[in-house]
PDB file of all heavy atoms in Angstrom:
ATOM      1  N   SER A   1      18.701  11.307  14.173  1.00  0.00           N
ATOM      2  CA  SER A   1      17.889  11.527  12.978  1.00  0.00           C
ATOM      3  C   SER A   1      16.969  12.738  13.102  1.00  0.00           C
ATOM      4  O   SER A   1      16.738  13.444  12.118  1.00  0.00           O
ATOM      5  CB  SER A   1      17.061  10.275  12.688  1.00  0.00           C
ATOM      6  OG  SER A   1      16.228  10.479  11.572  1.00  0.00           O
ATOM      7  N   ILE A   2      16.467  12.996  14.292  1.00  0.00           N
ATOM      8  CA  ILE A   2      15.549  14.124  14.476  1.00  0.00           C
ATOM      9  C   ILE A   2      16.255  15.432  14.119  1.00  0.00           C
ATOM     10  O   ILE A   2      15.819  16.173  13.232  1.00  0.00           O
ATOM     11  CB  ILE A   2      14.992  14.172  15.914  1.00  0.00           C
ATOM     12  CG1 ILE A   2      14.209  12.907  16.240  1.00  0.00           C
ATOM     13  CG2 ILE A   2      14.102  15.412  16.087  1.00  0.00           C
ATOM     14  CD1 ILE A   2      13.868  12.747  17.720  1.00  0.00           C
ATOM     15  N   ALA A   3      17.345  15.721  14.802  1.00  0.00           N
ATOM     16  CA  ALA A   3      18.065  16.981  14.562  1.00  0.00           C
ATOM     17  C   ALA A   3      18.654  17.034  13.155  1.00  0.00           C
ATOM     18  O   ALA A   3      18.628  18.081  12.503  1.00  0.00           O
ATOM     19  CB  ALA A   3      19.159  17.160  15.611  1.00  0.00           C
ATOM     20  N   SER A   4      19.180  15.917  12.688  1.00  0.00           N
ATOM     21  CA  SER A   4      19.814  15.888  11.366  1.00  0.00           C
ATOM     22  C   SER A   4      18.818  16.196  10.254  1.00  0.00           C
ATOM     23  O   SER A   4      19.130  16.949   9.317  1.00  0.00           O
ATOM     24  CB  SER A   4      20.453  14.526  11.118  1.00  0.00           C
ATOM     25  OG  SER A   4      21.468  14.279  12.062  1.00  0.00           O
ATOM     26  N   ASN A   5      17.624  15.628  10.339  1.00  0.00           N
ATOM     27  CA  ASN A   5      16.629  15.870   9.300  1.00  0.00           C
ATOM     28  C   ASN A   5      16.049  17.283   9.371  1.00  0.00           C
ATOM     29  O   ASN A   5      15.683  17.843   8.348  1.00  0.00           O
ATOM     30  CB  ASN A   5      15.527  14.807   9.352  1.00  0.00           C
ATOM     31  CG  ASN A   5      15.962  13.549   8.654  1.00  0.00           C
ATOM     32  OD1 ASN A   5      16.157  13.537   7.446  1.00  0.00           O
ATOM     33  ND2 ASN A   5      16.166  12.494   9.420  1.00  0.00           N
ATOM     34  N   ILE A   6      16.003  17.863  10.554  1.00  0.00           N
ATOM     35  CA  ILE A   6      15.594  19.267  10.660  1.00  0.00           C
ATOM     36  C   ILE A   6      16.619  20.139   9.935  1.00  0.00           C
ATOM     37  O   ILE A   6      16.253  21.017   9.137  1.00  0.00           O
ATOM     38  CB  ILE A   6      15.446  19.700  12.132  1.00  0.00           C
ATOM     39  CG1 ILE A   6      14.265  18.981  12.783  1.00  0.00           C
ATOM     40  CG2 ILE A   6      15.271  21.222  12.229  1.00  0.00           C
ATOM     41  CD1 ILE A   6      14.213  19.118  14.299  1.00  0.00           C
ATOM     42  N   ALA A   7      17.898  19.891  10.196  1.00  0.00           N
ATOM     43  CA  ALA A   7      18.955  20.663   9.542  1.00  0.00           C
ATOM     44  C   ALA A   7      18.897  20.483   8.028  1.00  0.00           C
ATOM     45  O   ALA A   7      18.941  21.464   7.271  1.00  0.00           O
ATOM     46  CB  ALA A   7      20.318  20.241  10.087  1.00  0.00           C
ATOM     47  N   GLU A   8      18.783  19.246   7.587  1.00  0.00           N
ATOM     48  CA  GLU A   8      18.751  18.979   6.157  1.00  0.00           C
ATOM     49  C   GLU A   8      17.521  19.607   5.502  1.00  0.00           C
ATOM     50  O   GLU A   8      17.606  20.191   4.417  1.00  0.00           O
ATOM     51  CB  GLU A   8      18.788  17.474   5.892  1.00  0.00           C
ATOM     52  CG  GLU A   8      19.015  17.139   4.443  1.00  0.00           C
ATOM     53  CD  GLU A   8      19.361  15.686   4.207  1.00  0.00           C
ATOM     54  OE1 GLU A   8      19.417  14.893   5.169  1.00  0.00           O
ATOM     55  OE2 GLU A   8      19.579  15.347   3.034  1.00  0.00           O
ATOM     56  N   GLY A   9      16.390  19.516   6.168  1.00  0.00           N
ATOM     57  CA  GLY A   9      15.177  20.102   5.621  1.00  0.00           C
ATOM     58  C   GLY A   9      15.251  21.607   5.514  1.00  0.00           C
ATOM     59  O   GLY A   9      14.820  22.203   4.526  1.00  0.00           O
ATOM     60  N   ASP A  10      15.817  22.226   6.531  1.00  0.00           N
ATOM     61  CA  ASP A  10      15.898  23.683   6.515  1.00  0.00           C
ATOM     62  C   ASP A  10      16.892  24.177   5.468  1.00  0.00           C
ATOM     63  O   ASP A  10      16.716  25.249   4.909  1.00  0.00           O
ATOM     64  CB  ASP A  10      16.280  24.208   7.897  1.00  0.00           C
ATOM     65  CG  ASP A  10      15.993  25.682   8.043  1.00  0.00           C
ATOM     66  OD1 ASP A  10      14.827  26.078   7.826  1.00  0.00           O
ATOM     67  OD2 ASP A  10      16.924  26.440   8.347  1.00  0.00           O
ATOM     68  N   GLU A  11      17.886  23.390   5.178  1.00  0.00           N
ATOM     69  CA  GLU A  11      18.896  23.772   4.200  1.00  0.00           C
ATOM     70  C   GLU A  11      18.575  23.268   2.791  1.00  0.00           C
ATOM     71  O   GLU A  11      19.346  23.508   1.868  1.00  0.00           O
ATOM     72  CB  GLU A  11      20.265  23.238   4.629  1.00  0.00           C
ATOM     73  CG  GLU A  11      20.809  23.886   5.883  1.00  0.00           C
ATOM     74  CD  GLU A  11      21.244  25.330   5.676  1.00  0.00           C
ATOM     75  OE1 GLU A  11      21.817  25.643   4.613  1.00  0.00           O
ATOM     76  OE2 GLU A  11      20.996  26.143   6.581  1.00  0.00           O
ATOM     77  N   SER A  12      17.455  22.596   2.621  1.00  0.00           N
ATOM     78  CA  SER A  12      17.150  21.951   1.338  1.00  0.00           C
ATOM     79  C   SER A  12      16.879  22.929   0.210  1.00  0.00           C
ATOM     80  O   SER A  12      17.006  22.576  -0.958  1.00  0.00           O
ATOM     81  CB  SER A  12      15.949  21.015   1.497  1.00  0.00           C
ATOM     82  OG  SER A  12      14.768  21.781   1.717  1.00  0.00           O
ATOM     83  N   GLY A  13      16.467  24.130   0.540  1.00  0.00           N
ATOM     84  CA  GLY A  13      16.225  25.120  -0.502  1.00  0.00           C
ATOM     85  C   GLY A  13      14.798  25.194  -1.005  1.00  0.00           C
ATOM     86  O   GLY A  13      14.478  26.048  -1.828  1.00  0.00           O
ATOM     87  N   SER A  14      13.941  24.303  -0.530  1.00  0.00           N
ATOM     88  CA  SER A  14      12.533  24.388  -0.941  1.00  0.00           C
ATOM     89  C   SER A  14      11.633  23.972   0.219  1.00  0.00           C
ATOM     90  O   SER A  14      12.006  23.108   1.016  1.00  0.00           O
ATOM     91  CB  SER A  14      12.256  23.500  -2.158  1.00  0.00           C
ATOM     92  OG  SER A  14      12.042  22.155  -1.803  1.00  0.00           O
ATOM     93  N   ASN A  15      10.476  24.610   0.296  1.00  0.00           N
ATOM     94  CA  ASN A  15       9.534  24.268   1.358  1.00  0.00           C
ATOM     95  C   ASN A  15       9.030  22.839   1.210  1.00  0.00           C
ATOM     96  O   ASN A  15       8.881  22.133   2.204  1.00  0.00           O
ATOM     97  CB  ASN A  15       8.366  25.249   1.387  1.00  0.00           C
ATOM     98  CG  ASN A  15       8.716  26.528   2.104  1.00  0.00           C
ATOM     99  OD1 ASN A  15       9.583  26.556   2.969  1.00  0.00           O
ATOM    100  ND2 ASN A  15       8.047  27.605   1.744  1.00  0.00           N
ATOM    101  N   LYS A  16       8.764  22.406  -0.033  1.00  0.00           N
ATOM    102  CA  LYS A  16       8.243  21.058  -0.248  1.00  0.00           C
ATOM    103  C   LYS A  16       9.231  20.007   0.261  1.00  0.00           C
ATOM    104  O   LYS A  16       8.850  19.081   0.991  1.00  0.00           O
ATOM    105  CB  LYS A  16       7.943  20.839  -1.727  1.00  0.00           C
ATOM    106  CG  LYS A  16       7.332  19.494  -2.030  1.00  0.00           C
ATOM    107  CD  LYS A  16       6.984  19.346  -3.491  1.00  0.00           C
ATOM    108  CE  LYS A  16       6.363  17.983  -3.741  1.00  0.00           C
ATOM    109  NZ  LYS A  16       5.995  17.787  -5.129  1.00  0.00           N
ATOM    110  N   LEU A  17      10.484  20.147  -0.102  1.00  0.00           N
ATOM    111  CA  LEU A  17      11.497  19.195   0.346  1.00  0.00           C
ATOM    112  C   LEU A  17      11.741  19.344   1.845  1.00  0.00           C
ATOM    113  O   LEU A  17      11.895  18.348   2.557  1.00  0.00           O
ATOM    114  CB  LEU A  17      12.796  19.405  -0.434  1.00  0.00           C
ATOM    115  CG  LEU A  17      13.871  18.340  -0.278  1.00  0.00           C
ATOM    116  CD1 LEU A  17      13.330  16.945  -0.587  1.00  0.00           C
ATOM    117  CD2 LEU A  17      15.044  18.673  -1.193  1.00  0.00           C
ATOM    118  N   GLY A  18      11.743  20.575   2.338  1.00  0.00           N
ATOM    119  CA  GLY A  18      11.912  20.811   3.769  1.00  0.00           C
ATOM    120  C   GLY A  18      10.840  20.115   4.584  1.00  0.00           C
ATOM    121  O   GLY A  18      11.130  19.465   5.594  1.00  0.00           O
ATOM    122  N   ILE A  19       9.602  20.242   4.140  1.00  0.00           N
ATOM    123  CA  ILE A  19       8.482  19.607   4.838  1.00  0.00           C
ATOM    124  C   ILE A  19       8.657  18.091   4.870  1.00  0.00           C
ATOM    125  O   ILE A  19       8.370  17.441   5.880  1.00  0.00           O
ATOM    126  CB  ILE A  19       7.140  20.018   4.181  1.00  0.00           C
ATOM    127  CG1 ILE A  19       6.855  21.489   4.490  1.00  0.00           C
ATOM    128  CG2 ILE A  19       6.000  19.120   4.637  1.00  0.00           C
ATOM    129  CD1 ILE A  19       5.738  22.099   3.650  1.00  0.00           C
ATOM    130  N   ARG A  20       9.157  17.536   3.780  1.00  0.00           N
ATOM    131  CA  ARG A  20       9.399  16.082   3.744  1.00  0.00           C
ATOM    132  C   ARG A  20      10.377  15.681   4.858  1.00  0.00           C
ATOM    133  O   ARG A  20      10.155  14.719   5.589  1.00  0.00           O
ATOM    134  CB  ARG A  20       9.947  15.682   2.373  1.00  0.00           C
ATOM    135  CG  ARG A  20      10.232  14.214   2.243  1.00  0.00           C
ATOM    136  CD  ARG A  20      10.645  13.862   0.803  1.00  0.00           C
ATOM    137  NE  ARG A  20      11.164  12.534   0.765  1.00  0.00           N
ATOM    138  CZ  ARG A  20      12.465  12.225   0.874  1.00  0.00           C
ATOM    139  NH1 ARG A  20      13.359  13.162   1.014  1.00  0.00           N
ATOM    140  NH2 ARG A  20      12.860  10.971   0.828  1.00  0.00           N
ATOM    141  N   PHE A  21      11.472  16.432   4.981  1.00  0.00           N
ATOM    142  CA  PHE A  21      12.459  16.131   6.019  1.00  0.00           C
ATOM    143  C   PHE A  21      11.898  16.374   7.422  1.00  0.00           C
ATOM    144  O   PHE A  21      12.210  15.628   8.351  1.00  0.00           O
ATOM    145  CB  PHE A  21      13.742  16.944   5.809  1.00  0.00           C
ATOM    146  CG  PHE A  21      14.614  16.391   4.718  1.00  0.00           C
ATOM    147  CD1 PHE A  21      14.703  17.034   3.492  1.00  0.00           C
ATOM    148  CD2 PHE A  21      15.351  15.236   4.910  1.00  0.00           C
ATOM    149  CE1 PHE A  21      15.506  16.532   2.484  1.00  0.00           C
ATOM    150  CE2 PHE A  21      16.160  14.727   3.911  1.00  0.00           C
ATOM    151  CZ  PHE A  21      16.234  15.381   2.689  1.00  0.00           C
ATOM    152  N   PHE A  22      11.079  17.401   7.581  1.00  0.00           N
ATOM    153  CA  PHE A  22      10.484  17.667   8.891  1.00  0.00           C
ATOM    154  C   PHE A  22       9.542  16.529   9.288  1.00  0.00           C
ATOM    155  O   PHE A  22       9.465  16.154  10.454  1.00  0.00           O
ATOM    156  CB  PHE A  22       9.754  19.005   8.910  1.00  0.00           C
ATOM    157  CG  PHE A  22      10.637  20.193   8.603  1.00  0.00           C
ATOM    158  CD1 PHE A  22      10.111  21.319   7.994  1.00  0.00           C
ATOM    159  CD2 PHE A  22      11.989  20.191   8.906  1.00  0.00           C
ATOM    160  CE1 PHE A  22      10.914  22.413   7.696  1.00  0.00           C
ATOM    161  CE2 PHE A  22      12.801  21.282   8.617  1.00  0.00           C
ATOM    162  CZ  PHE A  22      12.262  22.400   8.004  1.00  0.00           C
ATOM    163  N   ASN A  23       8.839  15.976   8.303  1.00  0.00           N
ATOM    164  CA  ASN A  23       7.978  14.820   8.588  1.00  0.00           C
ATOM    165  C   ASN A  23       8.806  13.590   8.961  1.00  0.00           C
ATOM    166  O   ASN A  23       8.395  12.802   9.821  1.00  0.00           O
ATOM    167  CB  ASN A  23       7.057  14.524   7.404  1.00  0.00           C
ATOM    168  CG  ASN A  23       5.816  15.369   7.429  1.00  0.00           C
ATOM    169  OD1 ASN A  23       5.133  15.458   8.448  1.00  0.00           O
ATOM    170  ND2 ASN A  23       5.507  16.024   6.313  1.00  0.00           N
ATOM    171  N   ILE A  24       9.950  13.420   8.336  1.00  0.00           N
ATOM    172  CA  ILE A  24      10.845  12.328   8.716  1.00  0.00           C
ATOM    173  C   ILE A  24      11.292  12.526  10.164  1.00  0.00           C
ATOM    174  O   ILE A  24      11.338  11.567  10.950  1.00  0.00           O
ATOM    175  CB  ILE A  24      12.047  12.231   7.762  1.00  0.00           C
ATOM    176  CG1 ILE A  24      11.574  11.777   6.376  1.00  0.00           C
ATOM    177  CG2 ILE A  24      13.121  11.288   8.304  1.00  0.00           C
ATOM    178  CD1 ILE A  24      12.622  11.906   5.280  1.00  0.00           C
ATOM    179  N   SER A  25      11.593  13.767  10.536  1.00  0.00           N
ATOM    180  CA  SER A  25      11.974  14.074  11.926  1.00  0.00           C
ATOM    181  C   SER A  25      10.850  13.710  12.887  1.00  0.00           C
ATOM    182  O   SER A  25      11.108  13.154  13.962  1.00  0.00           O
ATOM    183  CB  SER A  25      12.321  15.559  12.079  1.00  0.00           C
ATOM    184  OG  SER A  25      13.529  15.861  11.443  1.00  0.00           O
ATOM    185  N   LYS A  26       9.613  14.030  12.521  1.00  0.00           N
ATOM    186  CA  LYS A  26       8.470  13.666  13.367  1.00  0.00           C
ATOM    187  C   LYS A  26       8.394  12.147  13.528  1.00  0.00           C
ATOM    188  O   LYS A  26       8.133  11.643  14.618  1.00  0.00           O
ATOM    189  CB  LYS A  26       7.155  14.187  12.782  1.00  0.00           C
ATOM    190  CG  LYS A  26       6.844  15.619  13.155  1.00  0.00           C
ATOM    191  CD  LYS A  26       5.488  16.054  12.639  1.00  0.00           C
ATOM    192  CE  LYS A  26       4.336  15.221  13.079  1.00  0.00           C
ATOM    193  NZ  LYS A  26       3.761  15.496  14.372  1.00  0.00           N
ATOM    194  N   GLY A  27       8.623  11.432  12.454  1.00  0.00           N
ATOM    195  CA  GLY A  27       8.623   9.968  12.524  1.00  0.00           C
ATOM    196  C   GLY A  27       9.719   9.450  13.431  1.00  0.00           C
ATOM    197  O   GLY A  27       9.506   8.523  14.223  1.00  0.00           O
ATOM    198  N   SER A  28      10.884  10.053  13.349  1.00  0.00           N
ATOM    199  CA  SER A  28      11.994   9.654  14.213  1.00  0.00           C
ATOM    200  C   SER A  28      11.691   9.958  15.674  1.00  0.00           C
ATOM    201  O   SER A  28      12.084   9.209  16.574  1.00  0.00           O
ATOM    202  CB  SER A  28      13.288  10.353  13.790  1.00  0.00           C
ATOM    203  OG  SER A  28      13.688   9.906  12.516  1.00  0.00           O
ATOM    204  N   SER A  29      10.981  11.049  15.910  1.00  0.00           N
ATOM    205  CA  SER A  29      10.577  11.397  17.272  1.00  0.00           C
ATOM    206  C   SER A  29       9.623  10.336  17.842  1.00  0.00           C
ATOM    207  O   SER A  29       9.752   9.931  18.989  1.00  0.00           O
ATOM    208  CB  SER A  29       9.927  12.776  17.299  1.00  0.00           C
ATOM    209  OG  SER A  29       9.541  13.117  18.599  1.00  0.00           O
ATOM    210  N   ALA A  30       8.695   9.874  17.024  1.00  0.00           N
ATOM    211  CA  ALA A  30       7.766   8.821  17.454  1.00  0.00           C
ATOM    212  C   ALA A  30       8.516   7.504  17.681  1.00  0.00           C
ATOM    213  O   ALA A  30       8.224   6.769  18.630  1.00  0.00           O
ATOM    214  CB  ALA A  30       6.667   8.637  16.410  1.00  0.00           C
ATOM    215  N   GLU A  31       9.480   7.236  16.822  1.00  0.00           N
ATOM    216  CA  GLU A  31      10.306   6.035  16.971  1.00  0.00           C
ATOM    217  C   GLU A  31      11.075   6.100  18.287  1.00  0.00           C
ATOM    218  O   GLU A  31      11.105   5.128  19.059  1.00  0.00           O
ATOM    219  CB  GLU A  31      11.266   5.961  15.789  1.00  0.00           C
ATOM    220  CG  GLU A  31      12.116   4.733  15.736  1.00  0.00           C
ATOM    221  CD  GLU A  31      13.034   4.711  14.516  1.00  0.00           C
ATOM    222  OE1 GLU A  31      13.077   5.677  13.739  1.00  0.00           O
ATOM    223  OE2 GLU A  31      13.732   3.698  14.373  1.00  0.00           O
ATOM    224  N   LEU A  32      11.686   7.251  18.575  1.00  0.00           N
ATOM    225  CA  LEU A  32      12.438   7.427  19.813  1.00  0.00           C
ATOM    226  C   LEU A  32      11.520   7.293  21.022  1.00  0.00           C
ATOM    227  O   LEU A  32      11.885   6.664  22.020  1.00  0.00           O
ATOM    228  CB  LEU A  32      13.141   8.789  19.813  1.00  0.00           C
ATOM    229  CG  LEU A  32      13.967   9.115  21.048  1.00  0.00           C
ATOM    230  CD1 LEU A  32      15.065   8.078  21.275  1.00  0.00           C
ATOM    231  CD2 LEU A  32      14.558  10.520  20.922  1.00  0.00           C
ATOM    232  N   TYR A  33      10.335   7.870  20.954  1.00  0.00           N
ATOM    233  CA  TYR A  33       9.353   7.777  22.041  1.00  0.00           C
ATOM    234  C   TYR A  33       9.084   6.302  22.365  1.00  0.00           C
ATOM    235  O   TYR A  33       9.113   5.896  23.524  1.00  0.00           O
ATOM    236  CB  TYR A  33       8.065   8.488  21.621  1.00  0.00           C
ATOM    237  CG  TYR A  33       7.037   8.636  22.709  1.00  0.00           C
ATOM    238  CD1 TYR A  33       6.924   9.824  23.419  1.00  0.00           C
ATOM    239  CD2 TYR A  33       6.166   7.597  23.018  1.00  0.00           C
ATOM    240  CE1 TYR A  33       5.970   9.984  24.414  1.00  0.00           C
ATOM    241  CE2 TYR A  33       5.216   7.733  24.012  1.00  0.00           C
ATOM    242  CZ  TYR A  33       5.117   8.925  24.711  1.00  0.00           C
ATOM    243  OH  TYR A  33       4.171   9.067  25.704  1.00  0.00           O
ATOM    244  N   THR A  34       8.855   5.520  21.335  1.00  0.00           N
ATOM    245  CA  THR A  34       8.583   4.087  21.502  1.00  0.00           C
ATOM    246  C   THR A  34       9.767   3.371  22.130  1.00  0.00           C
ATOM    247  O   THR A  34       9.606   2.562  23.064  1.00  0.00           O
ATOM    248  CB  THR A  34       8.252   3.462  20.132  1.00  0.00           C
ATOM    249  OG1 THR A  34       7.111   4.138  19.583  1.00  0.00           O
ATOM    250  CG2 THR A  34       7.961   1.974  20.248  1.00  0.00           C
ATOM    251  N   GLN A  35      10.958   3.658  21.664  1.00  0.00           N
ATOM    252  CA  GLN A  35      12.158   3.003  22.190  1.00  0.00           C
ATOM    253  C   GLN A  35      12.432   3.387  23.641  1.00  0.00           C
ATOM    254  O   GLN A  35      12.884   2.552  24.426  1.00  0.00           O
ATOM    255  CB  GLN A  35      13.350   3.350  21.303  1.00  0.00           C
ATOM    256  CG  GLN A  35      13.211   2.760  19.913  1.00  0.00           C
ATOM    257  CD  GLN A  35      14.012   3.485  18.867  1.00  0.00           C
ATOM    258  OE1 GLN A  35      14.669   4.494  19.140  1.00  0.00           O
ATOM    259  NE2 GLN A  35      13.956   2.986  17.644  1.00  0.00           N
ATOM    260  N   ILE A  36      12.141   4.624  23.997  1.00  0.00           N
ATOM    261  CA  ILE A  36      12.304   5.058  25.386  1.00  0.00           C
ATOM    262  C   ILE A  36      11.345   4.287  26.290  1.00  0.00           C
ATOM    263  O   ILE A  36      11.720   3.830  27.369  1.00  0.00           O
ATOM    264  CB  ILE A  36      12.097   6.581  25.514  1.00  0.00           C
ATOM    265  CG1 ILE A  36      13.254   7.321  24.840  1.00  0.00           C
ATOM    266  CG2 ILE A  36      11.957   7.002  26.973  1.00  0.00           C
ATOM    267  CD1 ILE A  36      12.972   8.782  24.569  1.00  0.00           C
ATOM    268  N   LEU A  37      10.099   4.145  25.849  1.00  0.00           N
ATOM    269  CA  LEU A  37       9.124   3.369  26.633  1.00  0.00           C
ATOM    270  C   LEU A  37       9.596   1.924  26.823  1.00  0.00           C
ATOM    271  O   LEU A  37       9.498   1.368  27.920  1.00  0.00           O
ATOM    272  CB  LEU A  37       7.755   3.374  25.963  1.00  0.00           C
ATOM    273  CG  LEU A  37       6.871   4.580  26.225  1.00  0.00           C
ATOM    274  CD1 LEU A  37       5.572   4.470  25.423  1.00  0.00           C
ATOM    275  CD2 LEU A  37       6.563   4.731  27.709  1.00  0.00           C
TER     276      LEU A  37
END
């Protein structure tokens, strides 16, 4: 989800939508951090 949402956000065509996907990536990163622990 992290890499996929970065790709989708960057290709979305707008900064507003891109930022939304980048925030989803950040959330997935926190989720992964928790699962690794």
